[in-house]
Structure formats: C-alpha cells, structure tokens
Amino acid sequence: MDNQSFVKAWKRQVAFSLFLCSWGWVSGQLRYSIAEESHPGTVVGNVAQDLGVNLADISRRRLSFGSDGSSRLFSIEKKNGALVVHERIDRESLCGSSLSCLLHLEVVAENPLELHSLEIEILDINDNLPSFISLNQLINVTELFSSPGVTFQLETAKDLDVGKNGINEYKLNPNPYFSLLTKHRMDGTLIAELVLEKSLDREEKAEHKLILTALDGGDPPKSGTTQITVNVLDINDNAPVFDQSHYKISILENIPLNSVIIHLNATDLDEGANGDVLYSFDQLTLDSAKTIFQINPQTGEVYLKKELDYEISKSYELFVKAADKGSPKLEGRCVVKVEVEDVNDNTPEISFNSKSNEVPENAPIGTVVGFITVRDRDYGKNGDIRLSVPPGLPFTCQPMSQRYALVTSGHLDREKLSQYTIKLTASDLGSPSLSSQITISLNISDVNDNPPAFLHNVYNAFIAENNEAGRLLCTISATDPDEGSNANLIYSITDSHIHGSPISSFVYINSDTGNIYAQRSFDYEQFQLLQITARVEDSGSPKLSSNVSVFIFILDTNDNSPTILYPEYAGETVAQESIPRSAAAGYLVSKVSAVDIDSGHNAWLLYSLVQSASPALFRISEYSGEVRTLRGLHETDNTEHRLVIAIRDHGEPSMTTTTTIIVNILDDIAQESPKSQDFLTNAKSTPDLTLYLIVSLVAISAVFLVTFTILLVRCLRKNYDSGCGFCFSDKSLSTTYMDQYKPTLYLNTDGTLKYMEVRMAPPEAPGSCYPACFPPATDIPNVTLTNLLNGPITDVVEHTNPSSDSSLLNETNQVRC
C-alpha cells in the first residue's frame, strides 16, 4: 500500500470512527495487501495506528482476531499493534485462479468492546511453473486435403499463478511445415493453435515432431514444454460443422439435475463412418465446468449432472467438439456460454463472536456480551437479513453495520437461573423467505462465598523407615461447592519446624493433587512421628482456606546388621581359643556375643556354625552363642580348627554377620592360659560387685514396673468410658515408654558380669500428641530377668503387634493414608 493511498484510507477511517463513537462501538473497514509466500513476521500494516489506538493503550485494548478461519495466517503484535504474517500464505490454495484474492477478517478490540472489518489482498508472485497435462500431444493431419492455413487446436498450458505471472507466450521450435498462432479466450486465457504452412505429403514424411514451449510473464519468466506429434493421414475430407459457432443460454441455478440445457447439432457431408458424429467437451473446457455439465456423445444434448451455485460461478464456457469416425478423424467445434441466474437458495449464516460465554450476575444493563455476524450469499433482497431474539429474555440485539451486538436488557440473578439458552433467528427478505437459527449458551458466573472443606478432619499416614526421597506418604482431598476459579484448589503445608529443621525439608505437597511426598529418608531411630498442618486455598477473590492435621508414623525396618561384641575384631587378626586335648564332650570352647540396634523381631539374633573342618567335633548354641565340643578329643584330631560363625537376625529380609575363631588343641594348656577352674577362682575376687549390679538392675526394673502399673491403672480408670483416645504430651509418659528403657545384662560362663547395655529410644517431638490404645492387662509385656548359666541375662521388651496400629485410628474423624 503506497503512502498516498494509506493517508487517504487513514483519514476515512478516522472520520468513520468519530461518526460511530456515539454508539459506544467503532466499526471500520481496513484494507492491506501482502505478497504470498511472505516470511512469518513480515509486517502487513499497523492496525492500532489505523484504528486510532494510542501506543500506550495497545495493551489495554487487547487487539485480536475474531473466529474467522483465515485469522490463523496473521497475528497482531501486542507491543505495537502491527499486523504481521504468522503462517505461510499460498494464494493458489486460498483463492485458486481468481484474479482477486481478498481475505475478510474481523479485529476485536476490548475496553470498550469494538469490532472492525479488515480486508487483506494477497498478491500473486511467480512461484509456479507452466505445465501441460499431457507430455505428448498427437495430431492427425490428412495429406493433400489439409491445405496451408489450416489450424489445429493445441492443449493449453496451465499456470497456478494469475495476472502477469500467468501464461504470457507460446513458442514453437522452427520448422518449414508449421507455425504458431496465439489468441486470448473470453476469460483472458492465452490459447495456442498450430497453423499448417506447407502441404504435407505422407510419402515424403509421415510424422513430424514439434516442441511447444509455454512461458509466463514473471521476471525471470518460467516455462514448461510438451511434444507435439503430427501424423500425416489421408481419406476423410469433410469435417462436422455446427449450426452456430457460438451459443449463449441462461438458466436458473435451481434447475433439477439431468435437465437438458441445450441440444447441439453438427452435420458431416461424408457418408458411412466418416459421417457419424460423436460429441464431447474439448480440452479447453475447464474442469469445473466438466464437473457440472455432461454431453451425450450420440445426441449432442448437454445436461446438468451437478447442482449449480450462482454464488460459486455466474457463468460457464463450454468448448464442444464434434468428431466423425473417419480415418483420420475430422473435427468441428463450437462454444456454448451458459449464464446462471440467481434464486433465493441460500439460508442466512449466523456466527457469534465473544471472548467468554460467562456473564457476571452483577453485570449492568447494556453490557455487551458478544457480536453476531450474519451473511447471506444471495444478492439483492435475497441477501437482506432480519435478526430476532425470543421474548422474555434479559437480552436484546442492537444493529450495527453488517452485524449486531448482543447486550443485556435486564438484571441477572444466578440464584434464579445459572444459564441462559438463547435461540437467534435470522430471516432474509427473499420469496419465499429463508431462515436459520443459532443457539447461544451463556453461563452466569458466581462470587466466591464458600471455603473449601477437607473430606476428613484428621489424616494418618504410615511409612517404613529408609524410604526413598519422593515416596508418596498420603493424599489429602478437599471440595469446594463454588464454580470455576472459585473451586480451583491449591494445597500447601503451613510453615513449622521439627527438631529445629523446617517442615519443608521433611515433606513436600503437590499443590494441585494434594499428594504429600517425603523429601528425605526417615530413620525410626531418630523419630517415630511427624505432625504437620496442611492448608487448602481456593483461587477466588477474596481467597478462602481451611486447615487439617496430618500425622505421619515412621515404622521400623531391618536396616542394621548384627554387631559382634566378642570376639573383638582387630584388623587382620583372627580370634584364637585354646582347649586341652583332655576336654570332654560339652566343653565350653568360646562364647560369641552380638547386638542389633534395630527393634522387635529385627533385633532377635540366631547363631549358627557355617564352616568347620570337623563338623562332628563342635557345635554352637542357637540362642546363647556358646561354642562347645560334641565329643571328647582324640589323638588323631588336628591341633587347629577354623570355625566360621554366622549371626542372623529375624528381620525381613534377615541380615547376617560372620566371625572366625581358630581353636587350638593343646596337650598341656596350663602354660598357655588359666584353666576354667582357675578363671572361676580368680573371678571370685569380685563377686560382690557383680551381685551389686544385679541387685541394682532388679531394683530399677521393679520401680519401673510399679510406676508403669500405677499409670496404666489410672489411665484405664480415667478413660474407661471413652476406650481409646488417651493422649500423652511431651511432659507425660508415652505409650512407647517401655521401648525407651531397655537394660540388658551379659554374663560370662562363670556367672560374672561381662557388660550391661541400656538402650534409650529417642524422645517424642515437643508438643506431639496422638491417640494411643492399650491392650488388656494380661497382654502387657513384662520385664523378665532370666539367669542363664551359659548365656546373658536379658531384659526383653516386646513391641505391640503391628496390627494393633489400627487402634490409633479409633476416632471416626481420622483417616489412615
């Protein structure tokens, strides 16, 4: 678009916009031009500037296209309002061979809502080669009878480009017999005819090869070629002749199918086969015309085989050929021009354009809901349209130039009706009148007045320790009776600290699904319970929220191998024991001691002898770890025996630790080490210390049992009616108190104290409080001091069966994840 025409168009747009400002909407006509195959991002024009929108108001006006399908080819820059190419533009696929290619778009501006018409002319470029349908054209010419000056119709080349880029010239390779004649068809198409310049003699030359070249008018021009083969024949000397060379008829576009529109007749003076005529459409007839009309080869009747449409094409040009059956065949031609008359056969088309199908219930009267565009492809009164809205609805249509605006005409109340279904009827003024309807559904939006609510008051989750980071712990869910964004829920966890660390370092929640995941691997030996507060918030304005408590219980797993206390491991040194060759069956060779820092079944240990050169000589106690002889020693027994002992716990899967003891058999052991009797004798020097330790341990255990029994009785009396649900705080005794104090005595074979182990479970998190249910008094574990002559004295504390965990969930408002 040149500068002068641009200024004129801009002035007209400004004047027209000022004229319509009193209506509250502006509707103008903008027109641009752009060459096809322009690169994406090419600027077509500045829509904002042409519409009089200031650069500062571009972001507020939010310029965009309507719902027309051609809008995908272009886009409007949000920063400056420039109209740019968005996708590849192919003029031939959009407009075919039409000389004019106009795209009609609609530009929507908001704040206030406006609709503008936009026309973009797609300019043709020379991007297509001329081509012939057939690469070899065959022409039969009768010798002697074909005198110089006779013309032969040639196939027309096709070029998808139009205007000067279309077919502009034909060339024929030089030869003494033929020349080329070009002329324009009524529609402007350039056609070529072959002219005979010299009489042909079949005996001299029976076949002529010619090259026809078609060139377009582009710069540089493009070309396409075809070969013409001329066969020289003789005999038939009279060609069929039509009554007229040109026919012109008019028909209505709604005539029935198979109706005969014209009866053509051609005569041939020859007799027999040379005088029999066959009718057909010539190759100059467009393919679009051949799909609409059909000709009877024997009678010459032209009839309708497909429905006409005045809006697609107003006229057709049929090139008819009459050929006899002689050898060679002779042909006669005529042209039939068919004019199509319009009738009211197109119903009005309605399209509704709106940025949203929701209207707030507090919208004032006169609020623009959207724009309605009506079209009728008919002409005159057949294309004039009236639009109506059913009565009783709080909406009305206000006319504009070539369109209507749907506005509110009454107050809306969502509590009475949350959705309106509007049937718009468009009728033309033709006779008879045609009409069409469109149904528009409008939703009345609500305000945010309901907070989200969780499905449960409390959530409980159970997870085994040593879990992988990212493990799903629990899923919390909430509902909101509001609609749209008011019901769009966002989950989060309130900020808090556990043992001085932020809660975010322990767990993470998916804000969309409510899934709670572990951020780290948990260790049962560090803590057994995490208490967090989850929060759900909607996206309304103002935002509403709710909270819920989530308890995460850590369960113990078998993640620690048994640790060997005796024999002690010192680098590459292997423990050695010596026994006399005089030792009898049952002689105590050594005792293996081990511990496991896990709890429950995971800490119960079994001893086994996995490797021995003399399996019939030694055995090990499964529970005490004592290694004894199975029989008396013989002179033939080896003096050294290597024993590999495995210590396995009861976890799933179980974990095992092995140790090696080398047993030396000595003939005289008195010089190597003291006898067991001497060991017992020497141990008597400190009998009082061992006795005092045993008495102290028994006393401490007794005090613990008395205290726990008193608390249990008070608890059962206080909560007799309520059953489960007693809650211990960090200042009272926990239900796992028995797990916190685990004294264990290990004695030597002579009854002296070897060592004492006291295991303390980590304390509860400050402020943590959760329900606990106690089993019957007969199931309460006891602290038992068992004096084994050849084993340790152990205080065994049984954990509650894992199935009893369900007692923690006795309240109906809790859920286990």
Side-chain angles (χ1 to χ4, degrees), residues 104-328:
H104 299 273
L105 305 177
E106 291 181 346
V107 179
V108 179
E110 299 180 13
N111 302 317
L113 188 62
E114 298 175 352
L115 191 66
H116 301 273
S117 296
L118 173 63
E119 288 184 355
I120 300 178
E121 181 182 8
I122 307 302
L123 303 179
D124 183 53
I125 64 173
N126 190 24
D127 59 340
N128 292 283
L129 294 171
S131 61
F132 293 88
I133 297 178
S134 57
L135 298 179
N136 193 352
Q137 301 183 42
L138 181 62
I139 299 177
N140 294 320
V141 180
T142 304
E143 66 173 347
L144 301 179
F145 293 101
S146 298
S147 57
V150 176
T151 60
F152 302 91
Q153 194 71 44
L154 298 178
E155 177 185 338
T156 302
K158 293 185 178 181
D159 193 331
L160 297 179
D161 296 324
V162 297
K164 68 175 185 178
N165 295 325
I167 302 299
N168 187 53
E169 183 183 5
Y170 288 97
K171 290 183 179 181
L172 187 69
N173 64 310
N175 66 92
Y177 294 95
F178 299 93
S179 64
L180 196 64
L181 175 65
T182 58
K183 59 183 178 180
H184 289 84
R185 202 165 52 189
M186 185 180 63
D187 60 354
T189 302
L190 184 66
I191 59 178
E193 293 180 347
L194 190 65
V195 181
L196 182 62
E197 296 291 342
K198 182 180 178 181
S199 298
L200 301 176
D201 188 356
R202 187 176 182 276
E203 285 69 24
E204 180 180 345
K205 189 174 184 179
E207 187 179 81
H208 298 266
K209 298 288 187 178
L210 306 175
I211 301 297
L212 178 63
T213 303
L215 297 95
D216 60 25
D219 185 18
K222 296 183 178 181
S223 63
T225 61
T226 182
Q227 180 175 286
I228 302 173
T229 301
V230 180
N231 290 327
V232 182
L233 306 175
D234 45 298
I235 313 231
N236 191 20
D237 59 343
N238 288 291
V241 178
F242 285 94
D243 297 337
Q244 299 176 213
S245 61
H246 290 80
Y247 296 86
K248 183 176 182 180
I249 60 174
S250 298
I251 58 175
L252 296 175
E253 65 173 333
N254 62 347
I255 64 172
L257 295 178
N258 299 320
S259 298
V260 177
I261 63 171
I262 191 173
H263 188 178
L264 299 175
N265 181 53
T267 58
D268 194 328
L269 298 179
D270 294 327
E271 294 180 355
N274 295 331
D276 293 338
V277 178
L278 294 178
Y279 300 89
S280 62
F281 288 133
D282 191 79
Q283 59 186 2
L284 297 179
T285 304
L286 297 177
D287 293 337
S288 60
K290 291 179 181 179
T291 60
I292 300 293
F293 302 96
Q294 184 72 36
I295 188 170
N296 189 311
Q298 283 75 31
T299 64
E301 292 179 343
V302 180
Y303 58 91
L304 190 69
K305 74 171 184 179
K306 185 178 179 181
E307 293 179 348
L308 293 169
D309 193 347
Y310 177 84
E311 289 68 33
I312 295 179
S313 180
K314 301 177 179 59
S315 64
Y316 295 90
E317 200 171 24
L318 306 178
F319 293 84
V320 182
K321 176 179 65 175
D324 59 22
K325 297 180 181 180
S327 180

Side-chain angles (χ1 to χ4, degrees), residues 40 43 45 179 256 331 342 390 431 493 646 710 718 740 748 761 769 791 815 817:
V43 177
S179 64
E331 299 174 350
D342 183 46
S431 180
I493 296 177
I710 295 174
K718 183 177 180 180
Q740 298 181 12
N748 291 313
C769 181
V815 60
C817 297

Side-chain angles (χ1 to χ4, degrees), residues 562 594-596 602-607 622-623 647-650:
V595 295
D596 195 327
N602 298 330
W604 294 1
L605 304 180
L606 288 178
Y607 300 84
E622 185 177 12
Y623 300 103
I647 301 94
R648 176 176 58 87
D649 59 26
H650 282 70

Side-chain angles (χ1 to χ4, degrees), residues 407-686:
V407 299
T408 57
S409 60
H411 295 287
L412 306 176
D413 189 352
R414 182 186 178 278
E415 283 66 32
K416 292 182 179 179
L417 189 62
S418 62
Q419 185 183 61
Y420 286 91
T421 300
I422 305 171
K423 289 186 177 181
L424 301 177
T425 303
S427 305
D428 61 24
L429 301 182
S431 180
S433 177
L434 299 178
S435 63
S436 61
Q437 289 185 339
I438 186 175
T439 301
I440 302 173
S441 295
L442 294 178
N443 297 321
I444 310 304
S445 61
D446 197 13
V447 295
N448 188 27
D449 57 347
N450 292 286
F454 285 97
L455 299 182
H456 304 280
N457 294 335
V458 175
Y459 288 84
N460 292 330
F462 298 85
I463 184 173
E465 66 173 337
N466 300 322
N467 58 285
E468 295 181 356
R471 174 79 177 274
L472 177 64
L473 300 177
C474 184
T475 299
I476 61 175
S477 181
T479 59
D480 194 326
D482 291 328
E483 295 180 341
S485 61
N486 296 332
N488 185 19
L489 303 183
I490 300 175
Y491 298 90
S492 61
I493 296 177
T494 58
D495 293 334
S496 61
H497 289 77
I498 298 179
H499 297 316
S501 299
I503 191 65
S504 60
S505 64
F506 291 86
V507 294
Y508 160 78
I509 187 169
N510 188 305
S511 61
D512 297 326
T513 63
N515 292 338
I516 300 177
Y517 301 92
Q519 286 281 73
R520 61 165 68 174
S521 178
F522 299 128
D523 191 354
Y524 176 83
E525 285 72 26
Q526 292 183 3
F527 47 83
Q528 293 80 41
L529 175 66
L530 296 177
Q531 180 180 356
I532 63 177
T533 300
R535 176 185 179 90
V536 62
E537 184 180 69
D538 60 26
S539 301
S541 180
K543 296 182 178 180
L544 302 177
S545 62
S546 299
N547 294 337
V548 70
S549 295
V550 179
F551 295 93
I552 302 174
F553 296 89
I554 313 301
L555 306 178
D556 183 50
T557 61
N558 188 28
D559 59 339
N560 293 285
S561 301
T563 302
I564 299 175
L565 301 177
Y566 183 84
E568 295 181 353
Y569 178 75
E572 298 180 355
T573 303
V574 179
Q576 304 211 11
E577 297 286 350
S578 299
I579 62 173
R581 188 174 294 275
S582 61
Y587 185 88
L588 178 62
V589 178
S590 180
K591 182 180 184 303
V592 179
S593 298
V595 295
D596 195 327
I597 64 175
D598 290 327
S599 301
H601 287 75
N602 298 330
W604 294 1
L605 304 180
L606 288 178
Y607 300 84
S608 61
L609 188 61
V610 296
Q611 182 180 344
S612 173
S614 302
L617 183 58
F618 300 96
R619 70 173 178 85
I620 186 170
S621 175
E622 185 177 12
Y623 300 103
S624 64
E626 294 179 345
V627 179
R628 295 180 179 272
T629 58
L630 289 173
R631 59 174 174 80
L633 300 177
H634 301 153
E635 293 295 334
T636 59
D637 291 330
N638 295 330
T639 59
E640 182 178 289
H641 297 268
R642 183 183 183 89
L643 305 180
V644 178
I645 300 171
I647 301 94
R648 176 176 58 87
D649 59 26
H650 282 70
E652 283 296 331
S654 62
M655 304 187 74
T656 304
T657 302
T658 61
T659 185
T660 302
I661 299 177
I662 296 178
V663 179
N664 297 310
I665 300 176
L666 305 178
D667 293 332
D668 186 7
I669 199 172
Q671 297 177 359
E672 299 293 334
S673 59
K675 296 181 180 180
S676 60
Q677 293 80 358
D678 296 335
F679 182 80
L680 293 175
T681 303
N682 296 335
K684 291 180 181 179
S685 61
T686 57

